[in-house]
Amino acid sequence: MPSELRAYLDESSANRSEDTQEYLVCAAVVPDDSAEELREQLLALRLKGQIKLHWTDESEARRKKIVAAVSELTPMSAVVTHVSRRYNKTERFRRKCLETIYYELASMGVQEVICEARMPTQNQKDIAHIVALKGQKVVDRDFTISHCRGGDDPLLWIPDIFLGAINAKHLGQDAYYEALKDLLILERKTPDSA
């Protein structure tokens, strides 16, 4: 019997031009039977005293080392983005990305998504959103989400690293993305993305 798949999700928002922004969500799809070994490999990448790996906190040399290590891991990642005019509020774009990625993950057999926790009110909005999507039959009633702090589960570091590599590519640094691109099983925009 094949191992169950879980997805570990993080998000990013970046300005792409003077008047456009892109909201991105990435989910690392991990088989349960390899999750503990992957966590150990990721924990070994932390520096002394470091709570978690976070792309924006890492030096160029550390990013290279981390990307090289993650490119050797087995999880596949899915990315959904939404490009729009620049706005301060991005929750609507998050929901558009989540709706698309939840649908895609469910079609891959994923029934549980662990999202990196944000503020409690934002986490509650995510839960209300999944309830609405179940009501609309976008995902079935067995599909669940939960929230976890980034420092509490190293598997949440994988999507952060992928998103960092994608954002670096938009800034002209392609090497990180090139090292990880073969692990991308899905990379698409939301249906109403610009």
Side-chain angles (χ1 to χ4, degrees), residues 76-173:
M76 298 293 160
S77 291
V79 177
V80 172
T81 69
H82 182 85
V83 178
S84 67
R85 294 190 57 75
R86 281 175 66 174
Y87 297 101
N88 289 332
K89 296 182 180 181
T90 57
E91 284 300 306
R92 188 167 68 93
F93 308 132
R94 176 182 174 83
R95 287 191 303 275
K96 289 176 181 294
C97 290
L98 289 176
E99 179 176 347
T100 301
I101 206 161
Y102 291 159
Y103 174 81
E104 295 293 343
L105 291 170
S107 71
M108 294 175 201
V110 173
Q111 287 294 301
E112 182 179 0
V113 177
I114 295 91
C115 303
E116 181 160 3
R118 302 182 302 151
M119 299 298 291
T121 55
Q122 293 172 315
N123 294 342
Q124 287 301 319
K125 286 180 183 177
D126 285 350
I127 292 167
H129 182 230
I130 197 70
V131 169
L133 293 177
K134 287 178 181 184
Q136 298 165 15
K137 301 198 182 329
V138 173
V139 293
D140 68 37
R141 60 187 169 95
D142 296 330
F143 191 90
T144 63
I145 66 162
S146 60
H147 294 87
C148 179
R149 291 184 321 166
D152 292 345
D153 193 335
L155 295 176
L156 288 166
W157 306 346
I158 297 170
D160 177 79
I161 292 159
F162 271 84
L163 293 169
I166 290 168
N167 286 331
K169 180 183 173 200
H170 283 279
L171 297 173
Q173 299 172 308

Side-chain angles (χ1 to χ4, degrees), residues 39-57:
R39 286 183 179 104
E40 288 174 23
Q41 291 172 311
L42 289 160
L43 283 168
L45 295 171
R46 277 190 313 189
L47 297 173
K48 185 176 179 179
Q50 193 175 24
I51 294 171
K52 68 175 186 172
L53 299 183
H54 193 261
W55 185 267
T56 58
D57 298 336

Side-chain angles (χ1 to χ4, degrees), residues 29 67 70-79 158 162 165-166 169 174-187:
V29 179
V67 165
V70 169
S71 72
E72 298 296 319
L73 303 178
T74 55
M76 298 293 160
S77 291
V79 177
I158 297 170
F162 271 84
I166 290 168
K169 180 183 173 200
D174 293 355
Y176 303 123
Y177 178 84
E178 290 298 318
L180 296 172
K181 71 178 182 182
D182 289 343
L183 298 175
L184 283 170
I185 50 176
L186 173 78
E187 190 173 10

